[in-house]
Amino acid sequence: MRAGVGVLKAIQSNDLVWFGLILATLITFWFGESGLSDSARGVAVLVIFGLAYAKAAGVILQFMELKHAPWLWRLLLLGWLTVVVLGILLAWLIGDLRA
Amino acid sequence: MRIDDQKVSQSAAFVGDAELVDAELDDSHGSQFRLAGDLAVWLVILIELVTFGLFFMVFAFKRAFQVDLFNRMQSTLDLHSGVVNTILLITSSWFVARCVAAVRKGQSQAGARWLALAIVCGAAFLVMKTVEFKAKFDLGVNLSTNDFYMLYFTLAGFHMLHVVVGVIILAMLLVMVRRGKVAANNMHALETGAAFWHMVDLLWIILFPLVYVMR
């Protein structure tokens, strides 16, 4: 019991973020491996890039420590991420409409 | 707020001057607002992100006009290799974050161990990527095969170069941590190297679904 409490206390935010990142990666992989990225199309793209956004935000805020940084740096990196993901989604939509 | 005060606040917000920012921005959070690492390297990181962002856009919009070709070529990539590489980089990033936390607490020995593990993951990524590229070259697939492979080799190759640089930086930091040149009272080099390594991870997090999974 005491050992269990010790392990829980040793867990850092870094560990929880890593676990979330791995989980999101495996879900993304499953979309590709199962063929869902083909069959679910628009929904699949939204899920895959929703997960990619969450993963990247986790790295930016936790690992890069921007959650404790001046707001302008948070804005710059999260802004970059938002523009890139929205751009990719827009390109996908154009491709889908043309197909 | 007066205009002069506003200027001070904005300037402090950009450079991460902890004292100035604390006075203006700190709330019940209780911690300092501080940019971890060297400002010049953070500017380099911004430039790298913009450059890769443009690459990602080129890939996505080229794909929009050749969806069939890109989907067919994507199915010739090794998705398993892609996901293992993603796990390696994410885990390596986690090890580096653990290293920074350990060294800050004065646990340099533990920090060195985390850093060594991060280097192993980075090196494993490089080995896997080399094998993946070699398999393609052996099949006669190269930059001039088609638009997909031109962009794939450019994006993944450029990213791989960053991994090489990142691993070299981590190896140098490992030596510094072991020699006591990086410690709780002198975190600048470690925080700077860590920021660069996390950027390498961040880029792959976008590259993986874009190139390997999106249909």
Side-chain angles (χ1 to χ4, degrees):
Chain A
M1 183 70 182
R2 190 170 284 183
V5 172
V7 169
L8 281 178
K9 277 185 178 172
I11 292 175
Q12 302 177 354
S13 309
N14 287 330
D15 307 339
L16 297 176
V17 169
W18 171 79
F19 182 75
L21 292 173
I22 295 292
L23 195 64
T25 299
L26 293 176
I27 294 170
T28 304
F29 167 70
W30 178 69
F31 265 83
E33 182 73 357
S34 66
L36 256 180
S37 56
D38 240 335
S39 55
R41 301 190 57 73
V43 175
V45 168
L46 283 177
V47 172
I48 289 164
F49 278 96
L51 288 171
Y53 189 96
K55 285 166 70 180
V59 170
I60 289 169
L61 296 174
Q62 179 66 30
F63 289 171
M64 296 176 107
E65 302 188 52
L66 286 190
K67 69 179 178 183
H68 299 308
W71 61 269
L72 184 56
W73 283 98
R74 257 196 316 280
L75 182 73
L76 283 171
L77 266 78
L78 291 176
W80 168 84
L81 175 62
T82 306
V83 169
V84 166
V85 169
L86 286 178
I88 291 170
L89 291 177
L90 175 67
W92 181 87
L93 188 63
I94 291 170
D96 196 53
L97 291 173
R98 284 175 49 85
Chain B
M1 187 187 283
R2 290 185 334 202
I3 292 173
D4 285 353
D5 294 340
Q6 253 177 340
K7 279 182 184 166
V8 168
S9 173
Q10 283 168 358
S11 156
F14 193 72
V15 300
D17 185 319
E19 285 178 9
L20 283 172
V21 176
D22 274 350
E24 293 290 339
L25 294 174
D26 207 2
D27 50 19
S28 57
H29 187 270
S31 65
Q32 289 184 333
F33 283 90
R34 190 180 70 87
L35 188 63
D38 193 274
L39 178 64
V41 171
W42 274 98
L43 292 173
V44 170
I45 288 173
L46 272 187
I47 293 167
E48 297 277 12
L49 289 178
V50 170
T51 308
F52 269 93
L54 289 172
F55 268 130
F56 293 150
M57 289 299 109
V58 170
F59 185 97
F61 281 92
K62 271 279 184 190
R63 180 192 174 279
F65 293 91
Q66 304 174 74
V67 176
D68 286 342
L69 171 77
F70 273 60
N71 282 352
R72 267 189 291 118
M73 292 301 110
Q74 186 198 68
S75 60
T76 64
L77 293 181
D78 186 350
L79 180 62
H80 293 93
S81 171
V83 74
V84 171
N85 276 334
T86 309
I87 290 170
L88 282 171
L89 278 191
I90 283 171
T91 304
S92 179
S93 229
W94 172 52
F95 287 153
V96 169
R98 273 294 214 159
C99 164
V100 171
V103 176
R104 266 193 199 129
K105 285 182 195 165
Q107 300 164 351
S108 290
Q109 292 293 324
R113 280 196 294 276
W114 288 117
L115 209 45
L117 288 170
I119 293 168
V120 169
C121 286
F125 177 95
L126 289 174
V127 170
M128 286 199 64
K129 209 72 210 144
T130 305
V131 169
E132 207 180 327
F133 279 172
K134 186 177 179 307
K136 291 296 168 211
F137 292 142
D138 287 349
L139 290 171
V141 177
N142 56 48
L143 274 165
S144 57
T145 300
N146 54 40
D147 281 353
F148 176 87
Y149 271 109
M150 183 189 71
L151 290 168
Y152 166 74
F153 282 122
T154 307
L155 253 179
F158 194 37
H159 179 268
M160 191 178 168
L161 276 179
H162 285 73
V163 179
V164 171
V165 172
V167 168
I168 292 169
I169 290 170
L170 293 185
M172 288 165 65
L173 287 170
L174 178 59
V175 173
M176 290 171 80
V177 171
R178 284 202 170 139
R179 289 182 179 170
K181 288 183 179 173
V182 168
N185 59 354
N186 184 15
M187 293 291 296
H188 193 69
L190 181 58
E191 287 175 346
T192 303
F196 182 86
W197 188 248
H198 295 315
M199 176 204 72
V200 172
D201 179 30
L202 176 62
L203 292 170
W204 186 263
I205 282 174
I206 302 296
L207 195 154
F208 172 61
L210 174 66
V211 176
Y212 286 83
V213 186
M214 185 172 85
R215 302 287 290 178

